[in-house]
Amino acid sequence: MTRHFLKDHDITPAEQAELLRFAAAMKNDRHGFDSLNHQGRLRSVAVVFEKPSTRTRLSFQIGIAELGGHPVVLDSQSSQLGRGESIADTAQVLSRYVDAIVIRTFGDDRIAELAQHATVPVVNALTDGWHPCQLLADLQTVAEHRRESLHTLRGTKLAFVGDAAFNMGNSTVIACSMAGMHVRVGAPAGYQPADDVLERAAEINAETGGSVTVTDDAVKAVTGADVVSTDAWLSMGMKDHEQRVADLTPYQLNAALLGHAAEDAIVLHCLPAHRGEEITDAVMDGPQSRVFDQAENRLHAQKALLAWLIGGDRR
Ligand code: CP
């Protein structure tokens, strides 16, 4: 059966741990793997963008090349997708050419339809609902920080403040639960994760020992946290900027809020950041920030994912 990675829980907690170990190995030996050059045949991967991207575009394109594969980057403006060719037809055509399809798109119904009609693995490079590749990189970054003291992500306390009702909030809640972490969401009403996401997290946490709590008190969420994470308040396609800024300003990740976290806490932001909105310059550029390690880890984590998913490389 073709495996897809459309949301964080399309893999098991054990597979997530395996991928994170593999990603660390990829980082330690950046040019030591050619897992997509199988018996002299380059594997080709289509990387499709229906929304803008810097990190995802670069990390997939460069990562596929570093694995010995051939990246084919498409966007909707310069392909027939932008002129209304159906996602089902596109899935069938791409499947005749490439060994996997990575796509950034809008609704999760769109990527689900692509996966339904594709005969090769489909990877979510961000949808409205999920950003699972980002979370692999985030967990790799947390593991790098925790390794000295814990050797595991299990039990690590992560606070996510701001808009938690969208892709980054959803993926953070689920992926961290899979890792056995304790997630505290600090977000106002209307910006908290949906009930079905929290219900799925509870099922996962029954297995992994993690937990999720939700509060509208940012200080309560951050107090004692080992990791503090946030995301932009206005995601791609959203329009109500002024209202969102008014609602979310009490959840800004600034020095005062970070002061409630553990002394050696690290700061994550998937980027791009809107400095002065969800995060201040002092925190972004401060000693606790790991945001650029996090951006780099997109490369290593996605290389591990693709080598595992289509190269059949297990470590
Ligand atoms: N974090 C992230 O997905 O960055 P891009 O939008 O630049 O790809």
Side-chain angles (χ1 to χ4, degrees):
M1 196 182 76
T2 304
R3 294 285 301 269
H4 302 296
F5 189 54
L6 308 188
K7 50 192 183 310
D8 305 84
H9 41 308
D10 281 342
I11 56 175
T12 66
E15 288 171 336
Q16 182 196 64
E18 181 188 0
L19 279 177
L20 292 173
R21 283 194 298 274
F22 197 8
M26 291 275 182
K27 188 169 186 175
N28 281 336
D29 186 11
R30 179 159 171 182
H31 299 287
F33 296 84
D34 64 350
S35 307
L36 300 188
N37 184 359
H38 185 62
Q39 296 177 340
R41 183 176 78 86
L42 293 192
R43 290 175 189 267
S44 296
V45 180
V47 191
V48 182
F49 290 93
E50 298 196 283
K51 286 179 174 181
S53 166
T54 297
R55 279 145 291 271
T56 306
R57 181 185 300 265
L58 285 168
S59 55
F60 270 111
Q61 193 165 0
I62 293 164
I64 292 161
E66 287 186 0
L67 287 171
H70 179 60
V72 184
V73 181
L74 295 172
D75 57 50
S76 49
Q77 289 76 33
S78 60
S79 71
Q80 301 291 3
L81 272 170
R83 296 181 63 242
E85 183 164 13
S86 79
I87 202 86
D89 289 351
T90 302
Q92 293 178 78
V93 171
L94 290 182
S95 296
R96 301 294 181 105
Y97 297 140
V98 299
D99 298 286
I101 304 168
V102 175
I103 183 164
R104 168 168 290 195
T105 186
F106 296 88
D108 289 272
D109 53 342
R110 199 160 166 80
I111 198 168
E113 189 180 356
L114 187 81
Q116 186 191 336
H117 293 279
T119 55
V120 296
V122 174
V123 171
N124 183 340
L126 182 141
T127 54
D128 292 347
W130 305 100
H131 201 357
C133 292
Q134 180 66 54
L135 259 292
L136 288 176
D138 293 10
L139 292 178
Q140 182 176 1
T141 311
V142 177
E144 287 168 353
H145 170 65
R146 299 296 288 173
R147 191 154 290 139
E148 288 166 23
S149 52
L150 268 186
H151 300 279
T152 177
L153 294 168
R154 192 176 294 270
T156 299
K157 297 189 280 292
L158 180 144
F160 186 93
V161 288
D163 179 10
F166 206 53
N167 44 33
M168 273 303 292
N170 292 340
S171 279
T172 298
V173 162
I174 295 293
C176 293
S177 294
M178 291 169 63
M181 292 168 62
H182 301 300
V183 182
R184 275 186 252 144
V185 174
Y191 297 85
Q192 297 177 348
D195 288 346
D196 61 333
V197 174
L198 295 174
E199 283 159 17
R200 187 73 188 98
E203 290 167 8
I204 293 166
N205 283 322
E207 179 189 343
T208 64
S211 65
V212 178
T213 55
V214 180
T215 173
D216 60 6
D217 182 336
V219 170
K220 202 169 158 188
V222 168
T223 296
D226 303 305
V227 183
V228 186
S229 181
T230 191
D231 187 22
W233 292 341
L234 197 75
S235 293
M236 285 175 269
M238 292 178 177
K239 291 190 171 64
D240 48 347
H241 189 214
E242 273 179 36
Q243 184 61 53
R244 296 177 69 81
V245 170
D247 294 342
L248 292 164
T249 292
Y251 301 83
Q252 182 190 63
L253 182 48
N254 52 36
L257 184 59
L258 183 58
H260 293 279
E263 208 175 326
D264 65 346
I266 61 167
V267 168
L268 301 182
H269 188 309
C270 71
L271 306 179
H274 297 77
R275 290 167 176 258
E277 284 193 7
E278 75 276 3
I279 191 166
T280 59
D281 285 339
V283 171
M284 267 281 287
D285 301 326
Q288 292 168 272
S289 174
R290 296 291 182 278
V291 300
F292 299 113
D293 291 338
Q294 185 186 1
E296 179 190 331
N297 286 341
R298 294 291 303 277
L299 174 72
H300 310 300
Q302 291 159 191
K303 283 173 69 178
L305 175 70
L306 290 177
W308 183 84
L309 201 56
I310 60 174
D313 205 341
R314 299 282 192 272
R315 303 278 155 159

